[in-house]
Amino acid sequence: MPGSNAQGDLLSRLKQKNFTAAVLGLGYVGLPLAVEYAGAGVSVIGIDTDGTKIRMIRAGKSYIGDIPSETIREAVAAGRLRATSDFSALAEADTVNICVPTPLRKTKDPDLSYIVAAAEQVAKYVHKDMLIVLESTTYPGTTEEVLVPMFEKKGLKVGRDIFLAFSPERVDPGNAQFTTKNIPRVVGGVTPRCTKVATALYTGVLENVHPVSCASVAEMVKLLENTFRSVNIGLVNEIALMSDRMGIDVWEVIDAAKTKPFGFMPFYPGPGIGGHCIPLDPFYLSWKAKQYGFESRFIELAGVINGQMPHYVAGKVVDALNRFKKSVNGAKVLMLGVAYKKNISDVRESPALDILQLLVKKGARLSYCDPYVPVLDEHGIRMKAEKFSAATLRKADCVVLVTDHDRFDRRMIVRESKVVVDTRNALKGCNGKKVIKL
Ligand SMILES: NC(=O)c1ccc[n+]([C@@H]2O[C@H](COP(=O)([O-])OP(=O)(O)OC[C@H]3O[C@@H](n4cnc5c(N)ncnc54)[C@H](O)[C@@H]3O)[C@@H](O)[C@H]2O)c1
């Protein structure tokens, strides 16, 4: 039973996988984790405020591309995965993973409201010997400054009565090689005992756990990783813009540069960055750094350069139409792909949304194909996907390839389109006059 020592203390029960886990937030991060717990034989309660997700899980249906419905069905049928919107189920839990969104406010300041709302629920049901791990990406200091007081107010001392840690989720949706199970896990507790208990939690379920000295280090690890990506993408986008001006093919440059066996790692230019991580996370860090009087120039600069890419792509579409003496105003533009990256359905912060809006503002008549996104309903844009076909391609005055889903037939795109702006080098090798590369 939770809170009792009837079956030994929490640490030994974690080692024996004899505990009940709760996962708060069943999205791209939480659902795969809940499924790993169930797969390891742990009884898991999935809690989400979104009733549709709860109903789907109960019906054995997946809404995350990487998780087959079969896996959910089996876990639910075996009684290992229970989904609910009722937070009182937390009273039964020995451990809680908080996997809720961490967006930015319009001012680019961190919005911790989801973390706070989730933690308030946990605080209602917190009990002795409970382990709480925050997985949502956030600025260094969140766990200690925001969460510790919320639980200690309940009269429970962190590190003695309850355990609290931060462990950054690194899942890469659509990546079949690296999943929640085999991506190494970094864990940092508020106290050394918290680190030890949280390490034991993951060790039983995931393949590789890397403890660090404290929660702030673990929080900073995630922000270093995502800032590294944002800055390197910003750099390569700048090189792409420069190369375009100089008449040099940046894709050929990168292909050649990556033959260097050391000291170089290829990053690729594109229409802009998207998803719930790379466009947002670095600003959590720069916001926190400002409190220390520190200005993080790389982060701001990468944000500016990456943010310009949709404008650059819209300009390329205008240039492409210009070749045919056509004005963008009134032109039929077909966008291929609206998800922020290939082979997934996530459109959060997708650069496609910006490009679409920029072109509509110029008077273009937009339509799109995306096998993963049948309906686009974001930021006031509501559109239905067109069928990807030769006829659809032929109808457009200009095609702009924004997401290089494998399901797009490259040959058909080149054959049937009047002109294509290719933002991903997906049509590599088709260097006909029809293809305008980024
Ligand atoms: N998506 C990724 O690839 C990824 C990778 C690593 C880390 N992260 C981080 O993980 C966190 C979650 O991201 P995500 O992509 O899974 O988000 P998501 O939007 O897919 O899922 C979050 C879920 O939390 C639910 N929720 C919101 N408030 C809640 C509450 N108070 N109680 C219970 N459930 C609540 C939402 O309904 C939603 O289902 C973010 O901090 C993100 O930065 C995301």
Side-chain angles (χ1 to χ4, degrees), residues 25 27-29 48 53 87 100 102 136-137 169 173 222 276 348:
Y28 288 93
V29 165
D48 202 295
K53 289 194 172 107
F87 287 91
V100 295
T102 42
S136 303
T137 307
E169 174 54 72
K222 176 74 185 175
H276 185 38
R348 289 177 298 175

Side-chain angles (χ1 to χ4, degrees), residues 24-29 48-49 53 98-104 110-118 134-138 276 280-281 284 348:
L24 244 68
L26 299 170
Y28 288 93
V29 165
D48 202 295
T49 44
K53 289 194 172 107
I98 301 178
C99 311
V100 295
T102 42
L104 289 175
D111 175 0
L112 289 196
S113 60
Y114 294 89
I115 293 184
V116 170
L134 179 62
E135 294 203 5
S136 303
T137 307
T138 181
H276 185 38
L280 313 183
D281 300 351
Y284 269 72
R348 289 177 298 175

